[in-house]
Amino acid sequence: MMTKSDIPTPALVVDLPTMERNIRLMSDYFASRACKLRPHFKAHKTPEIARRQIAAGSCTGLTCATIGEAEVAATVSNDILIANEIVDADKCRRAAALAQKVGVTVAIDSVAGLEQLSRAATEAGVTLGVLVDLNVGQNRCGVAPGEEAVALGKRARTMPGLKLRGVMGYEGHAVGIHHRAEREAAVRRSMNQLSSTAKMFAEAGLPTELVSGGGTGSYDISSEVERINEIQAGSYALMDSDYGSLDTPFQQALFVLGTVVSRPVPERCVIDAGHKACTKDHGNPSVKGMKDATVLALNDEHAIIAIPPASQVRVGDRLALVPSHIDPTMNLHDVVYALDGDNVVGVWPIAARGYGRG
Amino acid sequence: MMTKSDIPTPALVVDLPTMERNIRLMSDYFASRACKLRPHFKAHKTPEIARRQIAAGSCTGLTCATIGEAEVAATVSNDILIANEIVDADKCRRAAALAQKVGVTVAIDSVAGLEQLSRAATEAGVTLGVLVDLNVGQNRCGVAPGEEAVALGKRARTMPGLKLRGVMGYEGHAVGIHHRAEREAAVRRSMNQLSSTAKMFAEAGLPTELVSGGGTGSYDISSEVERINEIQAGSYALMDSDYGSLDTPFQQALFVLGTVVSRPVPERCVIDAGHKACTKDHGNPSVKGMKDATVLALNDEHAIIAIPPASQVRVGDRLALVPSHIDPTMNLHDVVYALDGDNVVGVWPIAARGYGRG
């Protein structure tokens, strides 16, 4: 059997028992609640992981960030939310084609986007669900909560081929706040905007079948807000050092394995995993199991690591990095090696990585 | 014929006439010099581009960062330098296998690395070239210039299956210094260490057939230093905003094309190219042809761009980003679209991206 030491580096490895515990903890949390979980596929892009998330229960379907992810996620779930705007003719056609096989709902924040989706759905003879996307403080996409959202919802209802299903809003600016009370306050401010807009939808006779938001840093805050009935958390299954520094019950399951290629001086070693194997957009990774080691720099193909001069690390040894941000790190690799102890029990395609599928 | 507007976004596009001009400028610079060019394949990982670099002349071969890149680069050149340490048995075997087809030289900075390469070369019945890698100030890999390097060179000469060819050193900490006089001084300090170690090699009877260093920010400084006979520049063909801010004659040829998916307020638009399409490790990209636009943030799938409220940008429009760092941005994509004006004249595989080949 292939073992950890046979894996060519740099490589992604997942500790399977830890991942399964994370998935179980999250599905248990939602099991007894009215609010359910719609795991975000963008976190890992890996059908084998999504299958386990859905099998654990408490899930309504999957959340995706792109049409390419949705096409892959549809092999695992028949209820797909693209929690992102899709506005060009080619991607709208792909969304409509996908809707011939599974339920597809897309976030919208413009009339131009509605028109493209409506045209594609009509031409394909399908119905595409739409959710009005709210800016709840992240200042990215999304219309203003309240009247502006209601107006767009009313417009959506007039468009052939589309079925308005409700509203969504992602509190991305708040999910990573370290201090629990501050995070709770910021998340509630955002989610109250989502909730009050859902109330206005209901009062205007617009559907609120889906009121969707939340992430791994806010799942147990947002899910308690009235009317919110879906949480889009993704990172909880694998985790990263950024989310790991919060007070969640989930443990680190994903690592980037590298080989020490150089120890030119006692106080420094270099491994063959750089930022083309492990992104640093949320900061440098840490080194698994070595509290006295610090990543000084991630270059393209090198992690430069400060170590105590007395360390026994030698050229040829293997070290594991703990990524600071899971989503773009997964995106760099074609496969992830599933480990049970030191045994490789699966080599899973990260089937929705990249843009080959758009 | 496919045109720019048919390209699915996000996507890499190269302006072919600009790239060809860059390649011509660099080969002309080296045409009349004793020092030659060994283009760094890691910058673009694209055989179609390497072919044009070599066809332009003044090249000794190609430089690579990994064995996976070397395997692809060997389809274009028969003289490959892996300017990086390779220490594990599997990668050393692959290097030896490659040496049955083309000339392969590998950087070394440890006895453990020498032993692995020697074993693999002996078992495969080939000769692998080696260069002693010097730390000339970047503080990454590499032994100290001077006596330590000479001692490792002498050791290399005793190892079966290996042929010592000289020394290398990369002044990566100096190539990006903006102020020309400061850059020149820092590059010369590094390259004088490389040159003086080459002199010691010669005095000790060790070969100095290859004395290799330099980059796009230092090609016209390092190539003037005595004994240095190869420059490893890579970025000059495509360029990025980081190198573009220096005083080189090369022009930006590579862009990341995106579609405006949202313009929720007059002062902001969002395109579908985030840091999974355009890295930000050297800073946020700029927006091509829009001096009054500023990228506020690159999220996974979104660039959030501040624009003047009076801007005519609309949902569905296309914008192009100028990457700040070319190498990892190329690594995110499977293909690059070659443009002559608005016509797509090639869809080139970035054949050595990722780690599928190690």
Side-chain angles (χ1 to χ4, degrees):
Chain A
M1 178 181 247
M2 189 183 192
T3 67
K4 196 172 164 183
S5 58
D6 302 319
I7 298 172
T9 60
L12 280 181
V13 296
V14 60
D15 183 278
L16 193 52
T18 304
M19 184 188 85
E20 286 179 337
R21 179 178 171 277
N22 289 341
I23 289 173
R24 169 58 50 203
L25 277 172
M26 191 62 111
S27 69
D28 284 354
Y29 175 87
F30 283 98
S32 60
R33 282 180 163 73
C35 182
K36 294 297 175 192
L37 181 65
R38 186 186 285 274
H40 213 317
F41 189 60
K42 91 186 191 85
H44 50 69
K45 307 162 194 68
T46 304
E48 283 292 333
I49 299 176
R51 250 187 274 282
R52 285 165 169 78
Q53 290 174 302
I54 290 171
S58 313
C59 295
T60 56
L62 291 174
T63 313
C64 295
T66 68
I67 179 64
E69 287 176 10
E71 287 164 343
V72 177
T75 63
V76 179
S77 169
N78 60 11
D79 190 339
I80 305 295
L81 167 62
I82 302 175
N84 205 349
E85 281 67 17
I86 286 179
V87 305
D88 61 272
D90 182 57
K91 293 198 182 75
C92 290
R93 269 195 294 269
R94 288 165 65 185
L98 194 60
Q100 289 171 329
K101 293 183 276 185
V102 299
V104 177
T105 301
V106 182
I108 56 109
D109 76 353
S110 69
V111 173
L114 278 175
E115 286 171 345
Q116 286 283 16
L117 282 174
S118 173
R119 189 172 307 129
T122 310
E123 283 174 9
V126 297
T127 299
L128 282 169
V130 293
L131 286 189
V132 174
D133 187 13
L134 305 186
N135 175 13
V136 291
Q138 192 183 23
N139 295 332
R140 193 166 68 184
C141 302
V143 297
E147 293 299 343
E148 195 178 329
V150 172
L152 193 61
K154 287 180 177 168
R155 183 70 179 264
R157 248 210 328 202
T158 68
M159 313 284 277
L162 303 185
K163 183 188 178 205
L164 179 66
R165 301 187 69 197
V167 283
M168 63 158 270
Y170 176 50
E171 67 278 31
H173 60 297
V175 294
I177 296 172
H178 267 77
H179 190 274
R180 173 78 193 190
E182 285 174 26
R183 187 162 85 249
E184 279 195 27
V187 168
R188 285 223 181 83
R189 264 195 305 277
S190 287
M191 291 296 99
N192 285 342
Q193 294 183 297
L194 179 60
S195 178
S196 64
T197 303
K199 184 160 180 275
M200 289 172 71
F201 262 50
E203 289 165 355
L206 298 174
T208 57
E209 175 194 348
L210 294 187
V211 183
S212 190
T216 293
S218 64
Y219 74 99
D220 58 345
I221 307 166
S222 302
S223 59
E224 295 287 309
V225 175
E226 199 181 3
R227 295 184 195 86
I228 292 176
N229 54 27
E230 274 195 357
I231 300 295
Q232 301 172 2
S235 299
Y236 70 94
L238 299 179
M239 293 297 283
D240 52 36
S241 64
D242 200 22
Y243 271 125
S245 64
L246 301 182
D247 54 342
T248 80
F250 311 111
Q251 290 178 352
Q252 187 64 38
L254 186 85
F255 307 94
V256 177
L257 200 63
T259 300
V260 177
V261 293
S262 178
R263 191 183 178 184
V265 290
E267 64 270 22
R268 184 172 78 239
C269 73
V270 180
I271 70 171
D272 63 356
H275 66 86
K276 293 198 313 198
C278 181
T279 66
K280 56 182 178 181
D281 55 293
H282 283 188
N284 282 339
S286 50
V287 185
K288 185 188 178 196
M290 291 178 68
K291 288 205 188 309
D292 51 5
T294 305
V295 174
L296 299 174
L298 276 190
N299 297 167
D300 283 3
E301 304 285 356
H302 303 82
I304 308 175
I305 303 173
I307 51 176
S311 165
Q312 295 301 305
V313 166
R314 292 191 309 173
V315 167
D317 285 356
R318 290 180 158 211
L319 300 180
L321 300 177
V322 181
S324 62
H325 193 190
I326 195 179
D327 313 39
T329 297
M330 295 293 293
N331 186 58
L332 294 171
H333 294 262
D334 293 315
V335 298
V336 54
Y337 296 85
L339 295 177
D340 191 347
D342 278 346
N343 290 331
V344 175
V345 294
V347 184
W348 298 340
I350 304 169
R353 68 149 295 283
Y355 296 109
R357 302 170 58 90
Chain B
M1 177 181 248
M2 189 183 193
T3 66
K4 196 171 163 183
S5 58
D6 302 319
I7 298 171
T9 60
L12 280 182
V13 296
V14 60
D15 182 277
L16 193 51
T18 304
M19 183 188 86
E20 286 180 337
R21 179 179 172 278
N22 290 341
I23 289 173
R24 169 58 50 203
L25 277 171
M26 190 63 111
S27 69
D28 285 353
Y29 175 86
F30 283 99
S32 60
R33 283 181 163 72
C35 182
K36 295 296 175 192
L37 181 64
R38 187 186 284 275
H40 213 317
F41 189 61
K42 91 185 191 83
H44 51 70
K45 307 164 194 67
T46 305
E48 283 293 334
I49 299 176
R51 249 187 273 283
R52 284 165 169 79
Q53 290 174 301
I54 290 171
S58 312
C59 295
T60 57
L62 291 174
T63 312
C64 295
T66 68
I67 179 65
E69 288 176 9
E71 287 164 344
V72 177
T75 62
V76 178
S77 169
N78 60 10
D79 190 338
I80 305 294
L81 168 61
I82 303 175
N84 205 350
E85 281 66 19
I86 286 179
V87 304
D88 61 273
D90 182 56
K91 293 197 182 77
C92 290
R93 268 195 294 270
R94 288 166 64 185
L98 195 61
Q100 290 171 329
K101 292 183 276 183
V102 299
V104 177
T105 300
V106 182
I108 56 108
D109 76 352
S110 70
V111 172
L114 278 175
E115 287 171 346
Q116 288 282 17
L117 281 174
S118 174
R119 189 173 306 129
T122 310
E123 283 174 11
V126 297
T127 299
L128 282 169
V130 292
L131 286 189
V132 174
D133 187 13
L134 306 186
N135 175 12
V136 292
Q138 193 183 20
N139 296 333
R140 192 166 67 185
C141 302
V143 297
E147 293 299 343
E148 195 177 328
V150 172
L152 193 61
K154 286 179 177 170
R155 182 72 179 261
R157 250 214 323 203
T158 68
M159 313 286 277
L162 303 185
K163 183 189 177 204
L164 178 66
R165 301 188 69 196
V167 283
M168 63 157 270
Y170 177 49
E171 68 278 30
H173 60 297
V175 295
I177 297 172
H178 267 76
H179 191 274
R180 172 80 193 189
E182 284 174 28
R183 187 162 86 248
E184 280 196 25
V187 168
R188 286 224 180 84
R189 265 195 304 278
S190 287
M191 292 295 100
N192 286 342
Q193 294 182 297
L194 179 60
S195 178
S196 64
T197 302
K199 185 160 179 276
M200 291 172 70
F201 263 49
E203 288 165 355
L206 298 174
T208 58
E209 176 195 347
L210 294 187
V211 183
S212 190
T216 293
S218 64
Y219 75 98
D220 58 345
I221 308 166
S222 302
S223 60
E224 295 286 310
V225 175
E226 201 182 0
R227 293 184 196 85
I228 292 176
N229 55 28
E230 275 194 357
I231 299 296
Q232 302 172 1
S235 299
Y236 70 94
L238 299 179
M239 294 296 284
D240 52 36
S241 64
D242 200 21
Y243 271 125
S245 64
L246 301 182
D247 53 342
T248 80
F250 311 111
Q251 291 179 351
Q252 188 64 37
L254 186 86
F255 306 94
V256 176
L257 201 63
T259 299
V260 177
V261 293
S262 178
R263 191 181 179 184
V265 289
E267 63 271 21
R268 184 171 79 239
C269 74
V270 180
I271 69 171
D272 64 355
H275 67 86
K276 294 199 310 198
C278 181
T279 67
K280 57 183 177 180
D281 56 293
H282 282 189
N284 281 340
S286 50
V287 185
K288 185 188 177 196
M290 289 178 69
K291 287 205 188 309
D292 52 5
T294 305
V295 174
L296 299 173
L298 277 190
N299 297 169
D300 282 4
E301 304 285 355
H302 303 81
I304 307 176
I305 303 173
I307 52 175
S311 166
Q312 294 303 303
V313 167
R314 293 191 309 174
V315 166
D317 285 356
R318 289 180 159 212
L319 299 181
L321 301 177
V322 180
S324 62
H325 193 189
I326 193 178
D327 313 39
T329 297
M330 294 294 293
N331 187 59
L332 294 171
H333 295 260
D334 293 315
V335 298
V336 54
Y337 295 85
L339 294 177
D340 190 348
D342 278 347
N343 291 331
V344 175
V345 294
V347 184
W348 298 340
I350 303 169
R353 69 149 294 284
Y355 297 107
R357 302 170 59 89

